[in-house]
Amino acid sequence: MTDAADGEIRVRSSVGRWVVLTTVLGSSMALLDSTVINVALPRIGEDLDTDLAALQWTVNAYMLTLAGLILLGGALGDRYGRRRVFVVGVVWFAVASLLCGIAPTAEVLVGARALQGVGGALLTPGSLAIIQAGFHPDDRARAVGLWSGLGGVGAAVGPFLGGWLVDGPGWRWVFLLNLPLAAVCVPVALRHVPESRDPDAHGRFDVLGAALAALALALVTYALIEVAEQGASVMVIGATAGGVVLGTAFVRVERRRADPMVPPSVFASRQFTAVNLVTFCVYAALGGFFFLSAIQLQVVAGYSALGAGTALLPTTVLMLLFSASAGDLGRRLGPRIPLTVGPLLAAGGMLLMLRVGPGASYPVDVLPAVLVLGLGMVTLVAPLTASVLAAVDTGRAGLASGINNAAARAAGLLAVAALPLLAGMGPEAYRDAGEFASTFRRAMPMCAGLLVAGSVIAWWALRRAPEPGREPRPQCAINCGVTAPPLEPEPGPRHT
């Protein structure tokens, strides 16, 4: 069997085809859940008779564990074998999906979603890392292109399939669908995908740093979600204080460790720091937008789950069609203009969503908004990827990509927790069309404001085009329709 560590696999070989198929299947599990979970939220709330806070936790429990552990998951794959950790992640994700599908209560569903996030943290970094480590350099770009393109098909099919499942057999099948995918993926991976490791991976794993980051995010998220119902209770104040203390402890630990999960030195680059701030603003806005819009379309505009899922599909289609061209344009112009203009276009699309109310017409009210939003995402996503990787040495590309990925997921997590609070949504708002519509009108300008803030940061802080010879390796630019960026940690030397 070909050794993936040698980087000699060819796309046209049988091994190459199996590797692409396996990684696409694994990635599709996480992608399908992310593209349909927001569409399923109103039905989940009705079926489990729960409030808005539980729906927020249904989204955020997954994002919390994924954001907190994704860098550690990548490091585990480098050390113990990317295929091994990938397979463990797929199995873990499938078992957690089964628990989600049979959850009798909202509390069980939230716990199972957190377990899904752990599986995603093991699975997500490995899919692209297997390709980058195994394929011959001459075929690597093509392999990643196939992975991205086939994943894009999954992203396009997801809203149709998810909406049909929610309207037909029920929301539980959104999770149970992962079981047959895993049943195919695992044996194919074990039989056909060569193992690979990073021979330079060394040092202790930064388990303490990962735990502190995840716990700090969990406490802050709890405070933001529960303050709407509990007010300034002892629990809310304690969670806020605990989150601040643990966040401070995380920074101190990372500064003192010999092999930190997030080396502070990487932020010495002004461009890297600025691009991560832009990322945070952009994906906080997108996370809040997709969470609230899917409910708005169903509860207020009267769309079915299938209709709501497909209504936002043009953003994904535009990304598939024009991301490569946008990447070329970004390389010619440098990151400043695309990362300034793109967020402003996306902000305009979100403000156009204010037209969506009871009986909204799709071609008149919804489509213009999602098209403008999609154009903004096309403009900014590829240059964002390139800027992150161009801001650091090539040997730290995987680390930089992973940090940016985690920042984007954390941004979406905090936005889903904070926006309903800031917009004044009550615990039962999603059951009342009038109440939800009024709070939605307050939330969209907030999302647009985050995008404008990202645009201002990009204009002020980004001055130069990426340096010649620092072309980034190809990245996936398709997973843009929900709360996660098109970045996956790449293989290579990393701090663990």
Side-chain angles (χ1 to χ4, degrees), residues 212-239:
L212 287 172
L215 288 173
L217 279 174
L219 289 174
V220 171
T221 302
Y222 174 85
L224 290 171
I225 292 176
E226 296 300 326
V227 69
E229 186 171 350
Q230 299 183 25
S233 66
V234 173
M235 290 293 291
V236 169
I237 294 174

Side-chain angles (χ1 to χ4, degrees), residues 2-10 19 82 128-137 140 194-196 491:
T2 304
D3 184 358
D6 293 335
E8 295 297 334
I9 298 177
R10 292 290 187 170
V19 169
R82 298 179 180 109
L128 186 56
I130 288 171
I131 290 177
Q132 292 281 12
F135 280 90
H136 189 280
R140 195 170 291 156
E195 185 60 279
S196 67

Side-chain angles (χ1 to χ4, degrees), residues 21 80 176 222 245 351:
L21 172 64
Y80 295 116
L176 297 176
Y222 174 85
V245 170
L351 292 178

Side-chain angles (χ1 to χ4, degrees), residues 11 131-132 135-148 473-475:
V11 169
I131 290 177
Q132 292 281 12
F135 280 90
H136 189 280
D138 293 342
D139 281 10
R140 195 170 291 156
R142 185 179 180 192
V144 173
L146 286 171
W147 178 77
S148 299
R473 284 175 282 180
Q475 297 285 316

Side-chain angles (χ1 to χ4, degrees), residues 151-163:
V153 174
V157 171
F160 289 101
L161 181 61

Side-chain angles (χ1 to χ4, degrees), residues 349-386:
M350 291 185 182
L351 292 178
L352 285 174
M353 281 294 291
L354 294 173
R355 296 162 52 89
V356 177
S361 164
Y362 183 73
V364 175
D365 300 316
V366 181
L367 184 59
V370 297
L371 286 177
V372 174
L373 174 65
L375 289 174
M377 293 172 66
V378 166
T379 303
L380 72 90
V381 166
L384 193 68
T385 300

